[in-house]
Amino acid sequence: MSGRNKSVAKEPVTSVLPPAEVPIYDRGGNADDDALAALGYKPEFKREFSLWTSFCVSFAVLGLLPSFASTLYYGMGYAGTPGMTWGWLIAMVFIQCVAMSMAELCSAMPTSGGLYYAAAVLAPPGWGPLASWITGWSNWLVQVTGAPSVDYGMASMMLAAASIQNPAYVPQNYQVFLLTALIMLIQSCISSMPTKWIANINSYGSTFNIVALIVVIITIPAATNREDQGLPRFTSSSVVWGDFYEGTDFPKGVSLLMSFVAVIWTMSGYDAPFHLSEECSNANIASPRAIVLTSGVGGLFGWFLQLVVAYTVVDIDAALESELGQPYAAYLLQVLSQKATLAILGLTIICAFSMGQGCMVAASRVTFAYSRDECFGPLSHITKKVNRHTRTPVNAVWFNTIIGIIMDLLIFGGPLAAGALFSIGAVAAFVAFTIPIAIRVFFVGDRFRPGPWNLGRASTPIGTLACAFVVLMVPILMLPSVTGSDLDAAGMNWTCLVYGGPMTFILIWWYVSARKWFHGPNYRVNIQHRMLGDPAATIHGIDQDLEKSSTESSGRDEQTIKGTKPLKNPPSWSYVRFLLLWPSPWLENEDDSQRLETGIQTLATDHREMVVTLLFSPYALLVLPFLFYFLPYLRNRLIRNVPGPLVARFSNLWLLYQSRRGRRYLAVDAAHKRYGPVVRIQPDHVSIADSEAIPIIYSHTGGWTKSNYYDAFVSIRRGLFNTRDRAEHTRKRKTISHTFSAKSVAQFEPFIKANLQELVRQWNRISDTATEAGEQYAEMDCLHWFNYTAFDIIGDLAFGAPFGMLSKGKDIAEVRLTPDSPPTYAPAIQVLNRRGEVSNTLGCYPALKPYAKYLPDPFFRNGLKAVENLAGIAVARVNQRLAAQERGEPQRNDLLARLMEGKDEDGNRLKREELTAEALTQLIAGSDTTSNTSCALLYWCTKTPGVMKRLRKEIDEVVPINVAIPSFDSVKNLPYLHAVINETLRIHSTSSLGLPRVVPPGHGVTIGSHHFPPLTVLSVPSYTIHHCPSIWGPDAHEFKPDRWTEGAITEKQRAAFMPFSHGPRACVGRNVAEMELALIVGTVVKGFEFELREEGELKTREGFLRKPVGCR
């Protein structure tokens, strides 16, 4: 046995022991155990909890997601959404006061008895036993009802999920009870394991709780289907914060206070670190810190969850009265699809299991602590035993389990009776939390010795606020929701009986019997101790198997021992310092300085252990985001000398953000202007604004491949555009290339001209209408009509018939998600625009695509829906064409026919899915590029003086006056027409971004003065190259078709011109696009006069292509 010479007065605790006594125990040398011994208890547990694992258990006990699900009936049902917004916010201010006051007590008395011990020590003389008796039993009621109430809510959610999948199934009370009991038995087995196992399990559970909570907070607003119900995406703030739901017969203010039961019950688990302090290292700092951290983090995230539900709930009555028997599940069905509802319920159920298991652990420690002091009478000798194999209080675990299952019999009384499990927890928690705080604030005087974590001068005002809040809320929490003649047994709030009944019995027990034998924390039964200066006066713990204490003197005369004097209160600004959780520097004497030094050494050791623990704990997952961004930077260290935006060097988020704004090409161009021709725009992606890089990066040889940017564009299956494998791309190109040969393209001209005739007819009609109204010009947005034209042309070529947009004058197309699904209709142009924008954005981070629909930004959800709809358009049209072929109808000589005839080198034709994917590729490529370029061409020709007149003169010279639609042969060789088209493609740069390619394996590639290692992604930004003054001259930003005349255009400019990309993966449909543009321009310029109504630059937005917003 190790001898001790340190008195209670020299430990940073407020103890039940007299200051001059010296505890003696057989595990010396540990500051935490010394402090516990000074409190009168022999250390019995292994200290394998840390700040993090204590917080994990506490946060698991808090269980925000399942707690919210279980108490939504009260939080929303009493006062509606104001109770969820204002109610949570107001209550959390006062709950935080309670938590901080409790943390201060924990630092001074870090023992599993926690509040019960504090009440005994701080109470006025003679009142300690009664104070600790009431506090202990009230706190025990909180703990013992925690797991049953959580598991009841969990069982209800599980059965509600079953009911959602099978509407005919209605959960019965006995099924809820049996499932609850089964869950409790499983949790009891886990809670009986060794401490280290429990700590690890709770770490994983708490991590999952946090992740699931964040996922739910993001998913609900992102995936809500309120708009599909004809509602705005979110309820207006004026309604959410001000429209009270009349869920009670009381005034709105009282109803708001009654809704606090949800907040109070949800947040009642932050005392768990107090009860785990005997198993926690550096307990008088780590445990209070865990209390405050749990309350603060839980309060903040809980409020976010409340706001999400308050802004999205559709019908409060329907949620509360649903046959599912679970308002949370009913609410989810109101705002989400069935699959999403079940997914979120699944997350909540897993979190609820973790929460219930955490409650079971905390409750067992409280039961053990009280049994150690004989609170349970004759049962104490059973429940206080620590299992010699697991070193955990297994008997206490199973004792609580039996009590909990008995309490769950309230389930048979209906939801209101079972609801007493929640309200009793709220009331009992507040009573237990506040008794020692109130004693500390109003009665304790100088007998309280603050621990290293304290509130300083803020202690009294914060404690006063905490007590005042509890005094107000306890009677409020017992009010029924109805009054008068409406109040019956079913509507009664039974909290007063369920809590008041046991507490009345406990008080009677006290006066009849317990006061005679219960004297509070019984230090004389737990540890040996002796008086300083009196070595013979050694008292042996009667329940411990300890050898006789050493009787050597402490070496200090009793007369030299000073009475315990508390540390000075720190100055007022220490209220900020206490958040840092460092031992108080306001030390009064040498003993305090020595204690601080020892504390710092212990803290340093604990920190080293904490680092090792973190590396092998679930919290190592929190390091992954850092590694995710930092490791690519290290991996690409060979290009770290390439300049660029700081964020872009470490993360894909910079480019993703610019793409989301629809300004990627401008951001990259601005980066080149700032950093030079070589710029790093992603950790592994370098943009090179140098025309000499074009033939290298987009080479026919060398093994260059497309980057994973193209993965974001895969829809039905990989097509020619987004295929990255070189061999597969070669196969597809050989199969498809004949479709776009000069001979094949010539056969498409009749279909293009037929749709242009419809355009001319519609514009003539609009012009005639304006003329009849006395207008010289008909005002319209030509972008819409160019979109209709391009879609109808490509529909005619690729699918055998136009979409009919020109004839209807509106954007509409048939959609089929599968060949056999019923048809629906969608705005195809809008769908195409959204698809381009979201695919271009997700191309910056393709791994995000499977999860993007769950992001809160509707841009991603709407964009991915557009991807499905666009694919559905191709499925519908290919389905019609193949059905016609099967019926033996005559086949047209169009693009789809050519695709159906195509064969690879082995003679294999395209299968249906591959055929549809390629048809979709042609739909996208053949519509957007043509319409965007046509609109931009008309804008620049109209804006630039002399261009339209000269262009019309050239066309009129070769096209007869009575011909509305020129032939391609008549316009294909017109030099100025081609100059205008090329200049439009240059200055507008429909494809404005740099198409990314991957440096092939090997030795890398050198471009200019830079060497790029294998697997680096390189691109040449089209917009920047097309506007580079060093290539195009100082007038690069001016529209000058004459730069394309023979003798004016330079070889360097020709090499830098890449509107259809470059190399083996350039646009395969270039011949069709050039013919289509020539015919459209020849038709509209010859047949109509234009005047630009909108002033200023052409407004554009970038998806995969740079698209005008409009042109009037």
Side-chain angles (χ1 to χ4, degrees), residues 4 22 84 104 223 271 536 541 845 914 943 954 1099-1100 1104:
R4 280 181 47 93
V22 177
M84 305 173 71
E104 188 178 49
D271 63 318
Y845 185 21
E914 190 175 13
K943 180 181 180 181
E954 183 183 62
K1099 296 179 181 179
T1100 63
F1104 175 70

Coordinates of all heavy atoms in Angstrom, one line a residue, residues 4 22 84 104 223 271 536 541 845 914 943 954 1099-1100 1104:
R4 N 0.1 8.1 1.9 CA -0.2 9.4 1.4 C 0.0 10.4 2.5 O -0.4 10.2 3.7 CB -1.7 9.5 0.9 CG -1.9 8.9 -0.4 CD -3.4 9.0 -0.8 NE -3.9 10.4 -0.5 CZ -3.9 11.4 -1.4 NH1 -3.4 11.2 -2.6 NH2 -4.4 12.5 -1.0
V22 N -6.6 12.7 5.6 CA -5.8 12.2 4.5 C -6.3 10.9 4.0 O -6.3 9.9 4.8 CB -4.3 12.0 4.9 CG1 -3.5 11.4 3.8 CG2 -3.7 13.3 5.4
M84 N -41.3 25.8 -32.0 CA -40.0 25.2 -32.4 C -38.9 26.2 -32.7 O -37.7 25.8 -32.5 CB -40.3 24.4 -33.7 CG -41.5 23.4 -33.6 SD -41.9 22.7 -35.2 CE -40.5 21.6 -35.5
E104 N -19.5 23.7 -13.4 CA -18.6 24.2 -12.4 C -18.7 23.3 -11.1 O -17.6 23.1 -10.5 CB -19.2 25.6 -12.0 CG -18.3 26.3 -11.0 CD -18.9 27.7 -10.6 OE1 -20.1 27.8 -10.4 OE2 -18.1 28.7 -10.7
A223 N -34.6 18.0 -50.6 CA -35.4 17.0 -51.3 C -36.9 17.2 -51.1 O -37.7 16.4 -51.5 CB -35.0 15.6 -50.8
D271 N -25.7 15.9 -18.6 CA -25.0 15.7 -17.3 C -24.3 14.3 -17.3 O -23.6 14.0 -16.3 CB -26.1 15.6 -16.2 CG -27.1 14.5 -16.4 OD1 -27.5 14.3 -17.6 OD2 -27.5 13.8 -15.4
A536 N -2.0 7.4 14.7 CA -2.8 6.3 15.3 C -4.2 6.3 14.9 O -4.9 5.3 15.0 CB -2.6 6.3 16.8
G541 N -11.8 1.5 5.9 CA -13.1 1.3 5.2 C -13.6 -0.1 5.5 O -12.9 -1.1 5.3
Y845 N -16.2 17.9 -59.8 CA -16.1 16.9 -58.7 C -17.1 15.8 -58.9 O -18.1 15.7 -58.3 CB -16.4 17.6 -57.3 CG -16.2 16.8 -56.1 CD1 -15.4 15.6 -56.2 CD2 -16.9 17.1 -54.9 CE1 -15.3 14.8 -55.0 CE2 -16.7 16.3 -53.8 CZ -15.9 15.2 -53.9 OH -15.7 14.4 -52.8
E914 N -27.3 1.7 -76.4 CA -26.2 2.4 -77.0 C -26.7 3.4 -78.1 O -26.3 4.5 -78.2 CB -25.1 1.5 -77.5 CG -23.8 2.2 -77.9 CD -22.7 1.2 -78.3 OE1 -23.0 0.0 -78.5 OE2 -21.6 1.7 -78.4
K943 N -25.6 44.6 -84.1 CA -24.9 45.6 -83.3 C -23.7 46.3 -84.0 O -23.5 47.5 -83.9 CB -24.4 44.9 -82.0 CG -23.7 45.9 -81.1 CD -23.1 45.2 -79.8 CE -22.4 46.2 -78.9 NZ -21.8 45.6 -77.7
E954 N -24.3 40.0 -100.0 CA -23.6 38.8 -100.5 C -24.6 37.6 -100.8 O -24.5 36.9 -101.8 CB -22.5 38.3 -99.5 CG -21.7 37.1 -100.1 CD -20.7 36.7 -99.0 OE1 -21.1 36.2 -97.9 OE2 -19.5 36.7 -99.4
K1099 N -26.0 39.3 -72.7 CA -25.9 38.6 -71.5 C -25.9 37.1 -71.7 O -26.7 36.5 -72.5 CB -27.0 38.9 -70.6 CG -27.1 40.4 -70.1 CD -28.3 40.7 -69.3 CE -28.3 42.2 -68.9 NZ -29.5 42.5 -68.0
T1100 N -24.9 36.4 -71.0 CA -24.8 34.9 -71.2 C -24.7 34.2 -69.9 O -24.4 34.8 -68.9 CB -23.5 34.6 -72.1 OG1 -22.4 35.0 -71.4 CG2 -23.6 35.3 -73.4
F1104 N -22.3 23.7 -70.0 CA -21.2 23.1 -70.7 C -20.9 24.1 -71.9 O -19.8 24.2 -72.3 CB -21.6 21.7 -71.3 CG -20.5 21.2 -72.2 CD1 -19.3 20.8 -71.7 CD2 -20.7 21.0 -73.5 CE1 -18.3 20.3 -72.5 CE2 -19.8 20.5 -74.4 CZ -18.5 20.2 -73.8

